[in-house]
Amino acid sequence: MQYLNAFLCGGLLCVIGQIFIDKTTLTPARILTGYVVCGVFLEAIGVYGYIAQWGGAGASVPLTGFGSNLAKGVAKAVGEQGWLGVLTGGLTAASGGIAAAVLFSLLAALIFRPGEKR
């Protein structure tokens, strides 16, 4: 059942993104940024935990999960360090994902030799 819930949750997020791409003039970058902001907002009002509990990886892997992770990190750091945590908490909480993205991007660039389209 966990696999089905993850598939449904992740699939629903993808369907919403595809509808935005097809029916609006928003660029994909703005839609992706909106997903991060949506994850932060849902975490701030206390709803994202329930979504992540039901959807599992279908909720935690997409960009909404990244936004939720940023919000949790900031909240924790503000509780421990005060206002300085606003600047450091999000990066500390998401550092593993950011480092993995940089590493895998570097590996892909080394393997596939990127360049400008001609």
Side-chain angles (χ1 to χ4, degrees), residues 3-17 35 54-62 64:
Y3 294 125
L4 179 63
N5 289 348
F7 175 77
L8 291 174
C9 185
L12 181 64
L13 289 171
C14 291
V15 165
I16 292 169
Y35 270 113
W54 175 77
S60 63
V61 172
T64 52

Side-chain angles (χ1 to χ4, degrees), residues 13-109:
L13 289 171
C14 291
V15 165
I16 292 169
Q18 190 63 48
I19 290 171
F20 277 129
I21 288 171
D22 292 342
K23 301 293 182 184
T24 67
T25 59
L26 293 172
T27 63
R30 289 184 182 191
I31 294 168
L32 295 175
T33 304
Y35 270 113
V36 174
V37 171
C38 185
V40 169
F41 177 74
L42 291 174
E43 183 65 40
I45 63 172
V47 174
Y48 201 80
Y50 298 112
I51 296 170
Q53 185 178 5
W54 175 77
S60 63
V61 172
L63 285 172
T64 52
F66 181 71
S68 169
N69 196 18
L70 288 173
K72 281 192 261 185
V74 169
K76 180 181 176 189
V78 167
E80 293 173 356
Q81 303 171 356
W83 284 103
L84 182 62
V86 171
L87 302 173
T88 62
L91 293 176
T92 302
S95 61
I98 294 170
V102 170
L103 176 67
F104 292 127
S105 298
L106 175 66
L107 290 174

